[in-house]
Amino acid sequence: MSDPTTDPTPDPSTDPSTVERAFAAALYAGTDTALDTGASLLAADPGADAELTRRGEEFLAAAWRRGWQPADVVRYVRRELDETHVRLVSALVLGEAGGRPAPHPRWAAQLAELAEQAGAPAPRTDRFSRATAVLELYRLLLALPALEPLDPPRRAASSASAAGSSSSGSGSNSRMLARIRALLAKAEATGYPQEAEALSAKAQELMARHSIDEAVLASGGTAARDGGGDAPGACRIGVDPPYETAKAVLLDAVASANRCRAVWHEEFGFSTVVGFEADLEVVELLHTSLLVQATAAMTAAEAAQRAGGRRRTKTFRQSFLAAYAHRMGDRLAAAVREQTAEAAGEGGRDLLPVLAARDVAVTEHLERMFPKTVTTRLRGVSDEAGWHQGTAAADRARVERHRPLR
């Protein structure tokens, strides 16, 4: 007969849960055997599903505290794993967000985009395969390093009132950006060069007007030393493979031309762009449009190369995009200098101190976020034909000079 003082009945409430046992077996060991063990435990216990999801949401909450945002996590999962994991993490992000307000508008936009992309149902699979994918995803989430926290740009509270009946209110901003997006989309889609040129030139005009109007209105129309009542912040823009380095150089050129600064994070597949909100919006739109134009031009150039008996090569494409980015940077910088001079010459001399103060504010914000940066060498640029074709494509890209800003 056993002695109850020395041999108590085990308390089931103290036993580790299935999820805890699966995590102990699989998350902290990098072997396939450990992963199979954890997945087997989860597959055999349907009652563990709710806790498994809850623990995943906790991993995401920890990622937010380490500086990640929804788009960053989904992009990194796509880069490191596959579409099965992307669907899992997208559903997890949306579930974790629940019905609470987003921290800022960019966060809300990222959630909205995820919700739009989550329409297609996931293919049916067995419980073991799904549990394996979930554990692989959680391994990745646990290993996410800390990122520099992003301060969303702050708009001046007085911008809308300062504008009166002009175009500064948030509703007008949305309408202006919607017009720019529509013009760029039409420019990218049309097969008629003259139409594309007219549409892109009009979009570029609206971009410049949007940015300069924001700067003047934020400063109250004066040459405020602090660049106005708003403040710079930062956002992250994805730089997807292949040829990420050349694409990051193009993004840097677009950012610099629009009074922003970009820092590329090669290991995570994005660049952090620092600037004022109106300028960040323009950078996102223009970079996307130019990348579409560059890809289309590169495809056409490759077709001509093949027609001439030359095979497609990775070096040709890398050289093409590098030359495109280099030449586009020169064109954009020259256009900005000319546009600013014209605006100042038309009675807008108060604009120059405002823009200079904003440039200083952006640089200081960048240096606080990234006190140490290094220069990246662009490798694989050795194809002469690719370089010349890319330069020519940049010269043809739709960023034509527009009439002076009033």
Side-chain angles (χ1 to χ4, degrees):
M1 183 175 180
S2 61
D3 183 353
T5 62
T6 59
D7 186 20
T9 302
D11 181 2
S13 65
T14 63
D15 292 344
S17 68
T18 299
V19 171
E20 290 173 336
R21 288 186 287 126
F23 283 4
L27 288 193
Y28 309 103
T31 66
D32 290 341
T33 300
L35 192 66
D36 290 345
T37 300
S40 297
L41 289 168
L42 294 173
D45 186 1
D49 291 353
E51 182 184 353
L52 184 64
T53 299
R54 179 180 60 79
R55 296 293 293 273
E57 293 176 353
E58 291 175 356
F59 293 152
L60 282 179
W64 310 152
R65 292 192 294 271
R66 294 198 294 271
W68 291 74
Q69 294 188 2
D72 306 327
V73 169
V74 174
R75 185 186 305 114
Y76 189 59
V77 170
R78 177 175 285 111
R79 186 182 181 91
E80 297 296 319
L81 299 173
D82 59 32
E83 285 303 314
T84 298
H85 303 88
V86 171
R87 284 192 294 270
L88 287 172
V89 77
S90 298
L92 198 64
V93 168
L94 294 172
E96 193 275 338
R100 68 176 184 274
H104 51 77
R106 285 184 180 276
W107 194 291
Q110 293 172 23
L111 293 177
E113 185 174 356
L114 279 181
E116 289 179 3
Q117 296 171 351
R124 296 179 63 86
T125 185
D126 60 274
R127 287 187 56 81
F128 178 81
S129 298
R130 186 181 186 281
T132 300
V134 169
L135 290 174
E136 289 171 336
L137 172 63
Y138 288 5
R139 276 181 175 180
L140 188 67
L141 295 180
L142 274 175
L144 292 177
L147 298 178
E148 297 80 7
L150 297 184
D151 297 323
R154 185 180 73 243
R155 287 187 185 274
S158 60
S159 290
S161 59
S165 60
S166 74
S167 61
S168 176
S170 59
S172 297
N173 281 329
S174 298
R175 289 192 294 272
M176 175 72 79
L177 292 174
R179 290 182 63 194
I180 292 172
R181 289 190 182 96
L183 288 168
L184 289 175
K186 291 180 180 179
E188 294 156 13
T190 182
Y192 300 98
Q194 289 182 341
E195 182 184 12
E197 179 176 343
L199 291 168
S200 299
K202 180 61 176 177
Q204 180 68 23
E205 176 184 341
L206 293 179
M207 286 178 182
R209 183 180 302 162
H210 178 59
S211 177
I212 291 179
D213 283 352
E214 284 281 322
V216 173
L217 290 168
S219 68
T222 63
R225 290 181 58 85
D226 64 354
D230 54 354
C235 69
R236 299 188 183 111
I237 298 178
V239 182
D240 298 322
Y243 317 115
E244 301 98 313
T245 306
K247 293 176 182 177
V249 171
L250 176 61
L251 176 55
D252 181 75
V254 173
S256 298
N258 288 279
R259 296 186 169 85
C260 297
R261 300 285 295 278
V263 176
W264 183 37
H265 307 260
E266 182 176 6
E267 65 273 31
F268 302 128
F270 61 71
S271 286
T272 300
V273 183
V274 179
F276 287 84
E277 178 62 23
D279 300 325
L280 292 176
E281 292 166 338
V282 167
V283 168
E284 289 184 282
L285 291 173
L286 186 55
H287 173 253
T288 301
S289 181
L290 291 178
L291 197 55
V292 169
Q293 293 189 47
T295 303
M298 183 177 67
T299 301
E302 284 189 315
Q305 291 286 310
R306 289 196 300 273
R310 176 172 173 172
R311 297 178 58 188
R312 297 173 50 181
T313 66
K314 179 178 179 180
T315 304
F316 175 88
R317 294 188 289 270
Q318 178 85 339
S319 299
F320 183 101
L321 290 175
Y324 185 93
H326 178 76
R327 177 58 179 152
M328 187 55 62
D330 290 343
R331 287 192 63 193
L332 292 174
V336 167
R337 288 194 298 269
E338 184 175 353
Q339 292 163 14
T340 303
E342 288 175 347
E346 293 291 331
R349 294 189 181 278
D350 281 350
L351 171 67
L352 299 181
V354 171
L355 295 180
R358 289 165 80 91
D359 288 341
V360 171
V362 169
T363 299
E364 291 177 345
H365 193 90
L366 178 88
E367 291 174 348
R368 286 195 297 271
M369 288 186 68
F370 305 103
K372 295 182 180 179
T373 59
V374 297
T375 302
T376 298
R377 180 182 297 275
L378 188 55
R379 300 179 178 85
V381 182
S382 58
D383 189 294
E384 183 177 359
W387 182 270
H388 289 308
Q389 293 274 3
T391 301
D395 286 333
R396 294 191 301 269
R398 310 307 184 188
V399 288
E400 278 70 17
R401 176 181 178 272
H402 56 73
R403 67 176 181 268
L405 297 173
R406 296 292 189 261

